[in-house]
Amino acid sequence: MNTSTDTMRQDILAAALTLAPFEGWTDMMLRKAERKAGLTRGAAALYFPEGPLGVIAYWAEQLDAEAAAKLAAMDLSSMKIREKVTAGVLARMEAMDDHLEAARRASSRLALPDGFAQGTRQVWASADMIWRAIGDTSTDSNYYSKRTILSLVIGSTLPMWLSDETSNKTKARAFLDDRIANVMQFEKLKWEFKSKTENWPEPVALLGALRYGGGFKRRRRRRSRTL
C-alpha cells in the first residue's frame, strides 16, 4: 500500500473513531467520517470498499501492531510463558482504551451475521500476533492448538474488558488471570498424559491386535488351564 493511500485510510479511521461512539459503525457514520477527513463524497469507498466493516478490520490491524510494538519493548526473556501470554492479551486490550466506546460499538457490529466471520478472523489474528511476538515458532499441530485456545481466551475476555467500569479494569484482569490459569492447567494435564502414554502402542496397531486375537492369546492360555 502506498503512503498516500495509507494516510487517507488513517484519516478516515481517526474520524470514524470520534463518530462511531454516537453513530455506530454504519454507512451514515462512514459518510460523515469521510467529510470530517476532508474528502469528497464517495472517496471512503475507494479506501474501504467493504464499508464500515473494512474500517473496523483496518483498526484491528492497527491495534495488533500497537500491541506487538509494546511487547517488543518488554524484557520477555525474563518472563515465564504464562506471564508472556498475559502480557500479550493485556497489551491488545489496553490498545483499545483510548476508544472504548468505539470498541464496544464495533464489537456489537461484528456480532451481526455479516460481521461474525470477520470478528472470528480478527480474534485469531490477535492470538497469532501474541504468540509470534512472544517468540513462538511452532509449525506443527501446536501452532493451531495454541492459537485456537488463545482465541477463546481473548474472545471471552474482550466483553469483560469492554464492560468493566472498575479502575484499572480490576474485574477483567482477574477474569483473564483465571482463564489463563485454566489453560495452563489444561496444558499441564495434556503434557502429563502425553508423557505417560508415549510408550503405548499406536491405536491402529492396538485395535488390529484386538481384532485378530493378538491381545487375547495369553488370556486364552490361562483360561484353558482352568477348564
Side-chain angles (χ1 to χ4, degrees), residues 81-82 131 141-142 144-150 152-153 177-195:
I81 183 63
R82 174 176 177 169
W131 278 117
S141 60
N142 283 331
Y144 297 98
S145 63
K146 285 179 178 180
R147 283 150 181 79
T148 299
I149 292 172
L150 186 54
L152 294 173
V153 171
D177 286 341
D178 288 342
R179 299 292 75 71
I180 292 182
N182 291 342
V183 169
M184 298 306 293
Q185 181 64 23
F186 171 76
E187 288 298 312
K188 179 182 178 182
L189 292 173
K190 186 172 70 173
W191 180 87
E192 289 177 349
F193 177 79
K194 183 176 180 180
S195 65

Side-chain angles (χ1 to χ4, degrees), residues 42-119:
L46 297 176
Y47 301 108
F48 294 104
E50 306 87 353
L53 286 174
V55 185
I56 293 174
Y58 181 67
W59 185 30
E61 292 173 1
Q62 305 302 302
L63 295 173
D64 282 345
E66 181 180 336
K70 186 173 183 179
L71 288 170
M74 296 181 182
D75 182 13
L76 296 174
S77 62
S78 65
M79 301 166 65
K80 297 179 180 179
I81 183 63
R82 174 176 177 169
E83 295 170 333
K84 293 178 184 180
V85 173
T86 301
V89 177
L90 286 177
R92 180 58 176 81
M93 296 294 161
E94 291 169 350
M96 302 181 295
D97 281 354
D98 289 339
H99 301 285
L100 279 177
E101 187 54 38
R104 294 185 186 102
R105 300 299 291 267
S107 182
S108 296
R109 180 65 185 85
L110 292 173
L112 297 178
D114 64 335
F116 184 78
Q118 176 177 316

Side-chain angles (χ1 to χ4, degrees), residues 2-221:
N2 61 55
T3 304
S4 61
T5 297
D6 195 51
T7 298
M8 292 298 98
R9 286 162 68 91
Q10 289 277 11
D11 290 345
I12 294 171
L13 172 61
L17 289 173
T18 66
L19 295 168
F22 311 100
E23 305 280 346
W25 293 89
T26 64
D27 291 334
M28 177 66 73
M29 180 280 295
L30 189 53
R31 286 195 291 272
K32 291 183 179 180
E34 179 182 73
R35 292 197 298 271
K36 189 169 185 177
L39 301 175
T40 58
R41 183 178 177 83
L46 297 176
Y47 301 108
F48 294 104
E50 306 87 353
L53 286 174
V55 185
I56 293 174
Y58 181 67
W59 185 30
E61 292 173 1
Q62 305 302 302
L63 295 173
D64 282 345
E66 181 180 336
K70 186 173 183 179
L71 288 170
M74 296 181 182
D75 182 13
L76 296 174
S77 62
S78 65
M79 301 166 65
K80 297 179 180 179
I81 183 63
R82 174 176 177 169
E83 295 170 333
K84 293 178 184 180
V85 173
T86 301
V89 177
L90 286 177
R92 180 58 176 81
M93 296 294 161
E94 291 169 350
M96 302 181 295
D97 281 354
D98 289 339
H99 301 285
L100 279 177
E101 187 54 38
R104 294 185 186 102
R105 300 299 291 267
S107 182
S108 296
R109 180 65 185 85
L110 292 173
L112 297 178
D114 64 335
F116 184 78
Q118 176 177 316
T120 302
R121 290 193 299 270
Q122 288 179 192
V123 171
W124 176 276
S126 295
D128 182 50
M129 174 276 296
I130 291 170
W131 278 117
R132 290 178 183 275
I134 65 177
D136 178 62
T137 58
S138 61
T139 57
D140 55 7
S141 60
N142 283 331
Y143 174 93
Y144 297 98
S145 63
K146 285 179 178 180
R147 283 150 181 79
T148 299
I149 292 172
L150 186 54
S151 292
L152 294 173
V153 171
I154 295 171
S156 61
T157 302
L158 178 60
M160 292 294 296
W161 191 271
L162 294 177
S163 64
D164 188 358
E165 300 293 341
T166 62
S167 60
N168 201 34
K169 300 290 184 180
T170 305
K171 292 181 179 179
R173 289 172 184 270
F175 180 87
L176 173 61
D177 286 341
D178 288 342
R179 299 292 75 71
I180 292 182
N182 291 342
V183 169
M184 298 306 293
Q185 181 64 23
F186 171 76
E187 288 298 312
K188 179 182 178 182
L189 292 173
K190 186 172 70 173
W191 180 87
E192 289 177 349
F193 177 79
K194 183 176 180 180
S195 65
K196 291 177 180 178
T197 61
E198 60 183 356
N199 294 322
W200 285 16
E202 290 293 328
V204 173
L206 179 61
L207 290 173
L210 294 175
R211 169 65 177 82
Y212 294 105
F216 296 101
K217 290 180 179 178
R218 184 174 300 174
R219 181 181 299 177
R220 286 172 179 168
R221 286 197 295 268

